[in-house]
């Protein structure tokens, strides 16, 4: 009896002890389960407001935090986000980031488009004014000499415009042809009393190189006009190519891994109930360095293009001043005609000496044409003030966008997105509130091999961006040739290399295969020292649980504690 009582007493003691022991175990387990050490589930009211503001139904937001083992991108601690909310936030963050990226690129396009329109309009206006002045003044000055040769002048300006627009025209040959045809026509008109067959005219043209009927104007204009037009059209086309490059790069889609990293950067803190803190600045930079790694590879050739544009812009001043050369073409033509009129007798004598005396023309009128002659004096000299301001403004704008591609992470990680340097210890580091410890990666694809936030495949450069790098190289080469006064083929380069698409994007099934491979073969980056819950694997790896140990849920804790209790009661 006594032994039975002792056994009953021992059992009673254990039964009396059990509620207290069970309670202590539960409290301890609950404390471990809470990542922030608190024992009360936080309210999700702030996230409900944000979720509704983003265009989603706030009714699906939990009243208080729930266990987060269902999360695929955000850290799997206690959370206010369901699987549906996480997916919606992921899609929203992707579209928002793409919008910010395109807005940043659009700002560059606005600059280049404005400069293109300014210079294109200015150059065409110079040419138009020169042509109009010629049509307005030449009839009164030269009479039939102009009227019978009006098509010749129109053809010249037409050729100049075609050349400027990029047609495959040899400008020196076009100018030489103009002077040859003009000399032929004027010689016949100034000597109507002679019969001048084609053979005689050919002889006259050959000897004209020696006696220079137009003086030094043809040689001087050919030299200066060629340099001016090469500089003008290369500069304008360079602006156009730069604009086209930015437009095509803005259409490159984000990789799946970048999308995950952007979601974790922008919204995971909200899921953790930390709506009042912003991402750490260095953390934001690493995410952006990985997301725009391919774009950053444009930087060297982009800078070369900008530098070449600045060099060519310098050609607009000096001996080949664009205002003077293009704006006074009509003046030089008038000067050349006046030279020939003044030296008519000398030119005729030298021609007769070299080619023989031509036969008289019996059909010619004995009445000598009343010639209006006199040196043409331009009333309106083009002002260089407009071009000087135009060039000055352009240089300033071009220098502003010279570092655009490598400055993108800093541009996008502004105060609206990330915290400042003063909040380094109180910012979202991808896992919790605290300092972000990994180093910031360098620029470009090759430097992302150890990016802790974005899983970048450095072996697969984006195809579209590689094509645009080649376009920049081609255009820069042409600009450098133009700076040296060398004529080049300026056909449109926008489609020199066919093909499009992103080498970094992938279809769902392909990305799935790569995800599974990444989860099993990826080596941890040994340079990252994880603290405050920061894992080694990186925030946007295939499975975010690989980089941190998920905390136990209420359900699992209940099962474990129930099993312990049953074992205790069986004793």
């Amino acid at each position: 009896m006594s032994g039975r009582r002792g056994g009953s007493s021992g059992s009673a003691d254990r039964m009396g002890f059990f509620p207290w022991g069970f309670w202590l175990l539960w409290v301890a387990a609950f404390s471990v389960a809470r990542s922030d050490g608190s024992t009360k589930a936080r309210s999700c009211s702030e996230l409900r407001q944000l979720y509704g503001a983003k265009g989603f139904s706030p009714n699906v937001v939990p009243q208080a935090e729930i266990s987060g083992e269902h999360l695929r991108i955000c850290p799997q601690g206690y959370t206010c986000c369901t699987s549906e909310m996480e997916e919606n936030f992921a899609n929203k963050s992707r579209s928002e980031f793409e919008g910010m990226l395109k807005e940043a690129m659009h700002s560059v396009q606005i600059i280049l488009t404005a400069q293109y329109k300014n210079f294109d309009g200015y150059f065409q206006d110079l040419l138009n004014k020169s042509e109009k002045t010629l049509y307005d003044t030449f009839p009164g000055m030269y009479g039939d000499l102009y009227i019978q040769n009006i098509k010749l002048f129109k053809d010249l300006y037409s050729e100049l415009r075609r050349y400027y627009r990029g047609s495959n025209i040899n400008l020196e040959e076009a100018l030489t042809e103009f002077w040859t045809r003009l000399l032929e026509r004027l010689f016949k008109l100034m000597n109507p009393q002679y019969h001048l067959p084609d053979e005689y005219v050919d002889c006259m043209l050959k000897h004209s190189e020696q006696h220079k009927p137009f003086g030094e104007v043809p040689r001087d204009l050919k030299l200066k006009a060629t340099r001016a037009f090469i500089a003008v059209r290369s500069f304008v086309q360079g602006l156009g190519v730069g604009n086209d490059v930015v437009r095509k790069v803005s259409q490159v889609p984000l990789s799946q891994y970048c999308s995950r990293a952007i979601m974790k950067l922008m919204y995971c803190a909200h899921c953790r109930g930390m709506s009042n803190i912003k991402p750490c600045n260095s953390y934001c930079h690493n995410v952006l360095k990985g997301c725009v790694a391919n774009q950053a590879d444009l930087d060297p050739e982009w800078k070369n293009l900008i530098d070449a544009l600045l060099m060519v812009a310098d050609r607009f001043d000096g001996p080949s001043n664009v205002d003077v050369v293009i704006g006074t073409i009509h003046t030089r033509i008038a000067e050349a005609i006046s030279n020939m009129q003044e030296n008519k007798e000398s030119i005729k004598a030298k021609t007769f000496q070299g080619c023989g005396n031509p036969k008289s023309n019996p059909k010619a009128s004995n009445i000598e044409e009343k010639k209006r002659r006199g040196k043409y004096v331009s009333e309106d000299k083009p002002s260089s003030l407009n071009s000087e301001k135009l060039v000055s403004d352009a240089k300033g704008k071009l220098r502003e966008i010279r570092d655009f591609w490598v400055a993108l992470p800093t541009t996008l990680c502004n105060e609206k997105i990330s915290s400042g340097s003063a909040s380094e210890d109180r910012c979202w580091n991808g896992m919790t509130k605290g300092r972000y410890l990994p180093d910031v990666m360098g620029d470009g694809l090759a430097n992302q091999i150890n990016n802790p936030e974005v899983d970048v495949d450095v072996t697969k450069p984006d195809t579209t961006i590689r094509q645009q790098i080649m376009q920049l190289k081609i255009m820069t080469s042409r600009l450098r040739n133009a700076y040296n006064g060398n004529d080049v083929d300026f056909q449109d380069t926008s489609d020199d290399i066919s093909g499009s698409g992103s080498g970094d994007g992938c279809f769902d099934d392909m990305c799935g295969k790569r995800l599974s491979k990444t989860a099993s073969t990826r080596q941890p980056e040994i340079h990252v020292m994880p603290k405050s819950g920061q894992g080694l694997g990186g925030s946007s790896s295939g499975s975010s649980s690989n980089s941190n140990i998920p905390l136990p849920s209420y359900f699992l804790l209940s099962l474990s504690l129930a099993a312990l209790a049953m074992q205790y009661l069986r004793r």
Side-chain angles (χ1 to χ4, degrees):
M1 291 291 294
S2 62
R4 206 176 301 149
R5 282 195 302 270
S8 298
S9 174
S11 178
D13 291 341
R14 283 194 296 273
M15 291 296 292
F17 170 77
F18 174 74
W20 292 101
F22 183 84
W23 175 252
L24 290 173
L25 285 172
W26 179 266
V27 171
F30 183 84
S31 298
V32 172
R34 296 290 297 179
S35 61
D36 58 1
S38 66
T39 58
K40 183 180 179 181
R42 285 181 290 207
S43 170
C44 297
S45 59
E46 289 186 356
L47 183 60
R48 187 176 296 107
Q49 294 178 3
L50 173 67
Y51 198 65
K54 294 297 179 179
F56 305 112
S57 173
N59 296 330
V60 301
V61 181
Q63 293 295 323
E65 289 180 325
I66 59 176
S67 179
E69 68 271 4
H70 58 275
L71 298 176
R72 299 179 59 190
I73 300 176
C74 295
Q76 293 183 333
Y78 277 85
T79 182
C80 283
C81 288
T82 63
S83 295
E84 177 188 356
M85 293 172 62
E86 186 183 42
E87 182 179 354
N88 287 337
F89 272 141
N91 294 331
K92 191 69 174 177
S93 63
R94 179 188 181 97
S95 63
E96 288 178 342
F97 178 71
E98 286 179 338
M100 290 189 295
L101 198 57
K102 287 183 178 180
E103 183 180 354
M105 294 187 189
H106 185 59
S107 65
V108 176
Q109 287 184 276
I110 290 175
I111 290 175
L112 292 172
T113 299
Q115 294 305 316
Y116 179 94
K117 289 181 178 179
N118 288 343
F119 278 92
D120 180 60
Y122 184 74
F123 295 144
Q124 291 207 67
D125 187 55
L126 282 175
L127 202 56
N128 290 341
K129 285 182 177 179
S130 173
E131 185 176 23
K132 185 179 184 302
T133 303
L134 186 146
Y135 296 155
D136 290 344
T137 59
F138 274 36
M141 290 185 61
Y142 303 115
D144 288 344
L145 290 182
Y146 166 75
I147 294 172
Q148 295 182 29
N149 292 287
I150 186 171
K151 187 177 183 302
L152 186 61
F153 300 114
K154 288 184 176 180
D155 287 346
L156 171 64
Y157 281 95
S158 177
E159 287 290 275
L160 292 175
R161 285 191 182 88
R162 289 181 60 212
Y163 178 85
Y164 169 69
R165 282 299 177 199
S167 296
N168 191 17
I169 296 173
N170 187 309
L171 185 57
E172 290 188 4
E173 290 181 1
L175 289 170
T176 299
E177 177 69 13
F178 166 75
W179 292 116
T180 299
R181 291 172 61 194
L182 182 62
L183 175 60
E184 177 184 348
R185 300 287 185 85
L186 294 183
F187 189 81
K188 287 182 177 180
L189 286 172
M190 289 180 180
N191 298 280
Q193 69 273 30
Y194 297 106
H195 176 65
L196 302 173
D198 292 342
E199 294 80 6
Y200 193 90
V201 172
D202 289 341
C203 178
M204 181 271 297
L205 293 174
K206 290 180 181 178
H207 283 80
S208 67
E209 296 180 2
Q210 299 176 0
H211 51 73
K212 297 179 180 180
F214 294 127
E216 294 295 333
V217 174
R219 175 183 171 278
D220 187 58
L221 182 61
K222 182 170 67 173
L223 176 64
K224 292 180 179 179
T226 299
R227 281 186 172 272
F229 271 90
I230 289 175
V232 162
R233 77 170 187 174
S234 66
F235 185 80
V236 171
Q237 188 167 357
L239 294 171
V241 168
N243 191 11
D244 193 55
V245 166
V246 179
R247 179 182 62 81
K248 290 182 178 178
V249 171
S250 69
Q251 298 169 357
V252 173
L254 299 178
S255 70
Q256 184 189 29
Y257 301 97
C258 173
S259 298
R260 296 172 64 90
I262 291 295
M263 158 62 187
K264 192 173 182 181
L265 174 77
M266 297 177 68
Y267 286 110
C268 283
H270 295 281
C271 289
R272 295 297 299 275
M274 304 178 189
S275 300
N276 295 324
I277 65 171
K278 294 181 179 180
C280 300
N281 193 260
S282 296
Y283 171 40
C284 181
H285 272 76
N286 267 347
V287 172
L288 270 293
K289 295 265 188 176
C291 285
V292 297
N294 279 281
Q295 288 86 334
D297 282 348
L298 288 160
D299 177 68
E301 293 305 327
W302 179 261
K303 286 178 177 175
N304 287 339
L305 176 76
I306 299 299
D307 291 342
L309 284 168
L310 293 171
M311 287 170 55
V312 172
D314 288 334
R315 287 294 190 202
F316 296 163
D317 296 323
S320 300
N321 184 286
V322 170
D323 288 314
V324 175
V325 174
I326 298 179
T328 61
I329 292 175
H330 60 285
T331 307
R332 305 310 308 278
I333 295 173
E335 182 183 343
I337 295 174
S338 297
N339 285 339
M340 186 168 180
Q341 285 180 323
E342 291 177 359
N343 298 297
K344 171 189 170 183
E345 297 302 324
S346 173
I347 293 170
K348 181 171 68 173
K350 291 179 180 179
T351 301
F352 287 3
Q353 183 180 359
C355 299
N357 294 325
K359 295 180 180 180
S360 298
N361 182 9
K363 297 181 181 181
S365 172
N366 292 326
I367 301 175
E368 186 179 358
E369 178 202 3
K370 293 181 181 180
K371 302 180 182 62
R372 307 174 184 91
R373 65 177 63 185
K375 287 208 171 190
Y376 175 83
V377 179
S378 174
E379 297 179 2
D380 299 318
K381 290 188 176 181
S383 172
S384 61
L385 294 177
N386 289 333
S387 67
E388 287 178 4
K389 185 177 186 306
L390 210 61
V391 170
S392 177
D393 290 344
K395 286 182 176 181
K397 294 296 183 182
L398 290 173
R399 291 188 180 103
E400 284 181 16
I401 62 174
R402 187 176 182 271
D403 298 323
F404 172 75
W405 298 108
V406 291
L408 259 178
T410 300
T411 301
L412 297 177
C413 290
N414 52 39
E415 63 276 3
K416 293 182 180 179
I417 302 299
S418 65
S419 64
S421 57
S423 304
E424 291 182 355
D425 294 325
R426 304 183 303 279
C427 53
W428 170 248
N429 61 20
M431 294 299 297
T432 187
K433 178 181 178 180
R435 181 180 291 270
Y436 182 76
L437 297 176
D439 294 330
V440 176
M441 299 294 100
D443 299 308
L445 191 63
N447 287 317
Q448 307 310 311
I449 192 169
N450 289 320
N451 192 312
E453 308 305 335
V454 187
D455 189 4
V456 182
D457 189 348
V458 298
T459 65
K460 294 182 179 179
D462 181 87
T463 305
T464 298
I465 291 178
R466 298 298 132 176
Q467 292 170 356
Q468 300 317 304
I469 290 175
M470 182 58 64
Q471 295 299 326
L472 292 173
K473 288 182 178 180
I474 293 171
M475 191 65 240
T476 299
S477 176
R478 292 175 174 179
L479 284 164
R480 288 171 176 167
N481 273 297
Y483 177 76
N484 293 321
N486 297 326
D487 205 355
V488 287
D489 177 16
F490 264 76
Q491 293 177 356
D492 184 21
T493 62
S494 61
D495 297 316
D496 283 355
I497 303 176
S498 61
S500 62
S502 171
D504 216 11
C506 55
F507 296 105
D508 291 340
D509 56 337
M510 297 301 293
C511 288
K513 292 177 183 178
R514 185 173 161 191
L515 272 170
S516 61
K517 181 179 178 181
T518 302
S520 61
T521 62
R522 185 180 180 190
Q523 297 297 320
E525 291 80 356
I526 58 174
H527 71 285
V528 179
M529 299 298 293
K531 289 185 181 181
S532 301
Q534 177 69 49
L536 292 173
S539 63
S540 57
S541 61
S543 173
S544 58
S545 60
N546 289 342
S547 63
N548 57 87
I549 302 173
L551 297 173
S553 68
Y554 285 119
F555 179 70
L556 294 176
L557 283 169
S558 299
L559 287 178
S560 301
L561 292 171
L564 288 172
M566 291 300 294
Q567 291 177 4
Y568 184 86
L569 291 173
R570 287 197 186 103
R571 293 183 184 177

